[in-house]
């Protein structure tokens, strides 16, 4: 674990961010830009690599038959939702480790990261132990058909064995991000995707294991990724003299820090679930167009989330170094990046919207609904850009409790508005105006107020 990736020490950060004349401000902006790009670009690559696991599995399993593909779709949706709930393992670990890095205490930073890894291992083992016997009941509750259910249960049970590795990957990714290293996660993600693809082909077709082979290929790839991450973290711990043993107090502290972010994530998932439920009530055409729009929206989120990840690492480091002004300056610059990125993405979506429908559907009605919904997404991208950035800034500051309450407030405002869409005769465009317009605007208002208040600026190695 090279020391040059851990960022400048506290004294250097404070000196570099000191206010100066106009030329000095330009130099400061360029320095922030270099930092943001250096962290955000590799983070974007790693984020995009993650959904490729599912795409690869789908492409390979799809040739086995429709029941197998349907079973994979059900199992993957359950796994994806379950694992995504624990994304706080990455977010909370990034912020905590970055603060220690800013304070110049590398041993404590890695020790903090190891607490997150141990928590991930404990949670993953518990989830796997519960999911294995309950897999048939869970699949049945999901409404799987008689032909798809056996394949879904097979995939879900085998994949459950890889859940501890999946959560360790989340936590270890947070450790490296906190250490200002987003390149290693990119390399690991690329290696994991490549191994997953090769193993799937070998096990599904070479050995004839069917959908079970696809599940085993993904489990092996995830375990390999976890092993690489652990090797990197262990090497860093030995270099800096950090203990690798589980610490009960440290693990409890990680869990407590993660609870507010868990509430935030569950609230956001509820928003997306409500949107899909309402879209289904509008009709088959609307729900088909909604699914495509949601796919595009999720892809755009990867690009904006990369800037947010950079924000988590940078803000945590500045605050750990005791540099409140540097944190504020970085926040201002990242907001500018959010606006600019959102504007560029919005233009790209608006220009490509008439052609996107042809890639996904031959139904003219679906294309018409899709075009209107995508234009709503395009117009609201600058708002989304700022929301993602400020979300990352507050996560980096360890302001989880506020993020939890803010997201709950957003859910309270959004839910009645979404359910009112069909009641008032609105269609898919109105529903997406509620999601991409109203929901994101309320998030912007709550996050902007917090950022302006300065209450998030709490310096020190521990918040």
């Amino acid at each position: 674990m090279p020391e040059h990736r851990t960022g400048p020490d506290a004294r250097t950060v404070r000196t570099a961010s000191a206010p100066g004349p106009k030329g000095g401000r330009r130099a400061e902006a360029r320095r922030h830009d270099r930092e943001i790009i250096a962290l955000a670009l590799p983070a974007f690559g790693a984020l995009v690599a993650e959904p490729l696991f599912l795409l690869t599995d789908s492409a390979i399993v799809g040739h086995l038959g429709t029941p197998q593909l349907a079973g994979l779709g059900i199992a993957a949706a359950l796994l994806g939702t379950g694992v995504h709930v624990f994304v706080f393992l990455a977010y909370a670990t990034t912020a905590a480790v970055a603060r220690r890095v800013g304070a110049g205490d590398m041993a404590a930073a890695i020790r903090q990261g190891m607490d997150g890894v141990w928590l991930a291992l404990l949670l993953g083992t518990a989830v796997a132990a519960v999911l294995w016997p309950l897999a048939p009941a869970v699949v049945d509750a999901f409404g799987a058909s008689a032909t798809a259910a056996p394949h879904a249960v097979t995939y879900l049970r085998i994949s459950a064995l890889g859940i501890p590795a999946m959560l360790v990957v989340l936590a270890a990714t947070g450790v490296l991000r906190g250490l200002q290293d987003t390149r290693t996660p990119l390399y690991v993600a690329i290696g994991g995707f490549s191994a997953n693809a090769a193993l799937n082909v070998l096990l599904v077709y070479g050995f004839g294991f069917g959908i079970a082979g696809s599940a085993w290929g993904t489990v092996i790839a995830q375990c390999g990724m976890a092993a690489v991450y652990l090797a990197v973290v262990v090497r860093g711990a030995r270099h800096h003299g950090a203990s690798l043993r589980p610490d009960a107090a440290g693990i409890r502290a990680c869990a407590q820090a993660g609870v507010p972010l868990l509430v935030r994530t569950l609230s956001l998932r509820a928003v997306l679930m409500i949107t899909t439920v309402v879209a289904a009530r509008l009709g088959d055409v609307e729900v088909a167009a909604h699914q495509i729009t949601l796919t595009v929206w999720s892809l755009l989120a990867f690009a904006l989330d990369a800037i947010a990840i950079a924000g988590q690492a940078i803000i945590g480091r500045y605050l750990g170094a005791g540099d409140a002004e540097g944190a504020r300056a970085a926040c201002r610059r990242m907001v500018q990046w959010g606006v600019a990125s959102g504007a560029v993405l919005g233009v790209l979506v608006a220009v490509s919207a008439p052609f996107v429908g042809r890639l996904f559907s031959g139904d003219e009605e679906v294309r018409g609904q899709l075009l209107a919904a995508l234009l709503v997404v395009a117009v609201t991208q600058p708002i989304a850009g700022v929301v993602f950035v400020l979300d990352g800034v507050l996560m980096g500051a360890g302001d989880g409790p506020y993020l939890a309450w803010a997201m709950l407030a957003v859910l309270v405002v959004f839910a009645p508005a979404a359910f009112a869409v069909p009641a008032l005769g609105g269609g898919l465009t109105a529903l997406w105006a509620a999601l991409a317009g109203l929901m994101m605007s309320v998030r912007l208002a709550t996050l902007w107020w917090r950022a302006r208040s300065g209450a998030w600026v709490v310096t020190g190695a521990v918040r």
Side-chain angles (χ1 to χ4, degrees):
M1 186 177 297
E3 288 186 88
H4 71 273
R5 289 180 178 171
T6 61
D9 61 24
R11 181 180 55 80
T12 304
V13 170
R14 282 191 289 271
T15 302
S17 63
K22 190 173 182 180
R25 288 195 295 271
R26 285 202 199 99
E28 181 186 29
R30 286 195 296 270
R31 180 173 56 79
H32 284 310
D33 291 345
R34 286 193 298 270
E35 263 194 322
I36 294 168
I37 292 171
L39 291 172
L41 282 181
F44 174 68
L47 289 169
V48 170
E50 291 175 12
L52 292 179
F53 273 83
L54 178 57
L55 288 177
T56 302
D57 289 2
S58 299
I60 294 172
V61 171
H63 291 287
L64 295 174
T66 300
Q68 288 88 340
L69 184 58
L72 170 65
I74 293 167
L78 289 168
L79 281 168
T81 300
V83 172
H84 187 78
V85 164
F86 297 104
V87 73
F88 70 84
L89 289 167
Y91 293 160
T93 305
T94 297
V97 172
R99 276 184 176 268
R100 298 285 192 177
V101 169
D105 191 345
M106 284 298 300
I110 296 175
R111 174 65 264 176
Q112 185 93 47
M114 281 305 303
D115 290 336
V117 171
W118 279 111
L119 176 62
L121 189 59
L122 291 172
L123 289 173
T125 302
V127 172
V130 170
L131 185 58
W132 175 271
L134 294 180
V138 172
V139 169
D140 184 62
F142 207 80
S145 67
T147 54
H151 301 294
V153 171
T154 296
Y155 192 93
L156 192 58
R157 273 187 162 163
I158 295 172
S159 296
L161 301 176
I163 289 177
M166 293 180 194
L167 299 194
V168 166
V169 166
L170 282 177
T173 299
V175 176
L176 294 183
R177 288 173 181 170
L179 295 172
Q180 318 296 296
D181 177 11
T182 55
R183 289 187 180 183
T184 299
L186 172 61
Y187 300 149
V188 175
I190 293 173
F193 164 71
S194 302
N196 179 62
L199 287 167
N200 267 255
V201 171
L202 176 64
L203 297 176
V204 173
Y205 298 119
F207 290 99
F209 290 167
I211 194 170
S214 176
W216 278 117
T218 301
V219 168
I220 294 170
Q222 290 284 354
C223 289
M225 292 171 66
V228 172
Y229 274 124
L230 289 176
V232 173
V233 174
V234 168
R235 187 176 69 229
R238 288 175 176 169
H239 179 73
H240 294 284
S243 172
L244 295 171
R245 294 180 181 178
D247 177 65
I251 294 172
R252 276 197 306 272
C254 285
Q256 290 169 357
V259 168
L261 295 181
L262 174 62
V263 172
R264 168 201 166 275
T265 299
L266 290 174
S267 301
L268 182 56
R269 297 296 293 186
V271 165
L272 298 178
M273 187 181 300
I274 288 170
T275 306
T276 300
V277 168
V278 174
R281 293 181 180 180
L282 297 176
D284 290 346
V285 169
E286 286 79 3
V287 75
H290 166 73
Q291 187 57 40
I292 299 170
T293 308
L294 190 61
T295 300
V296 173
W297 199 58
S298 299
L299 180 61
L300 298 172
F302 284 131
L304 298 176
D305 202 29
I307 303 175
I309 287 170
Q312 293 171 29
I314 293 170
I315 294 298
R317 195 194 72 226
Y318 272 113
L319 293 177
D323 187 1
E325 181 51 40
R328 292 190 183 94
C331 176
R332 288 192 295 269
R333 191 58 178 172
M334 280 184 282
V335 167
Q336 293 170 357
W337 268 79
V339 173
S341 300
V344 170
L345 291 174
V347 170
L348 290 175
V349 172
V351 170
S352 62
F355 310 101
V356 170
R358 298 177 186 176
L359 297 175
F360 292 94
S361 175
D363 190 322
E364 287 296 333
E365 287 188 79
V366 171
R367 291 180 186 177
Q369 294 278 353
L370 177 63
L371 176 60
L374 286 178
L375 290 178
V376 172
V377 171
V379 170
T380 55
Q381 278 307 289
I383 296 175
V386 179
V387 166
F388 273 80
V389 164
L390 292 179
D391 211 35
V393 166
L394 296 185
M395 283 184 190
D399 206 10
Y402 179 81
L403 289 172
W405 284 110
M407 198 63 223
L408 283 171
V410 170
L411 176 60
V412 169
V413 172
F414 171 77
F419 284 119
V421 168
L424 296 176
L428 186 66
T429 304
L431 179 60
W432 270 91
L435 179 64
L438 175 64
M439 188 273 285
M440 294 300 281
S441 293
V442 175
R443 287 188 72 188
L444 175 63
T446 58
L447 296 174
W448 186 266
W449 177 84
R450 186 65 167 182
R452 293 281 293 178
S453 74
W456 58 277
V457 184
V458 179
T459 59
V462 179
R463 181 180 172 90

